[in-house]
Amino acid sequence: GAVVIDTPPWLEGREIEIRKVGTEWRGVHTAVRARLIPTGTQFAAVFGSLAEGRYDLRVRGGLDECAVLSLEVRSALVTYSPWP
């Protein structure tokens, strides 16, 4: 599966970190980037090739080291979610 997280523009350049629920944070992360779409600009973090399961996400190196988003990834599907 894969995950696309829509983020606010102020997160551009920051890293979003992901882990399977119940595991250690291992530094798996991706940058929030501006992506041009037909209606303008979308800011997003994209995680490809994830195993099926429940995941936690957080801003890497942020002041709050707790997960701020949890979601379910299904095999062969793309999960879309807004950043809280």
Side-chain angles (χ1 to χ4, degrees), residues 2-80:
V3 170
V4 176
I5 306 296
D6 291 323
T7 68
W10 59 266
L11 277 176
E12 184 178 19
R14 299 293 305 269
E15 300 282 331
I16 303 294
E17 192 169 16
I18 193 169
R19 70 171 179 186
K20 271 200 157 184
V21 169
T23 66
E24 298 288 324
W25 293 103
R26 293 195 174 104
V28 177
H29 59 90
T30 192
V32 173
R33 302 260 187 244
R35 289 161 169 87
L36 298 178
I37 59 174
T39 57
T41 302
Q42 176 182 11
F43 296 87
V46 178
F47 293 92
S49 301
L50 295 172
E52 189 169 274
R54 188 133 191 96
Y55 287 84
D56 291 328
L57 295 96
R58 69 179 181 181
V59 174
R60 187 170 193 224
L63 296 176
D64 183 0
E65 291 295 312
C66 297
V68 297
L69 178 63
S70 291
L71 49 81
E72 188 74 26
V73 173
R74 302 271 186 219
S75 181
L77 296 176
V78 178
T79 300
Y80 293 92

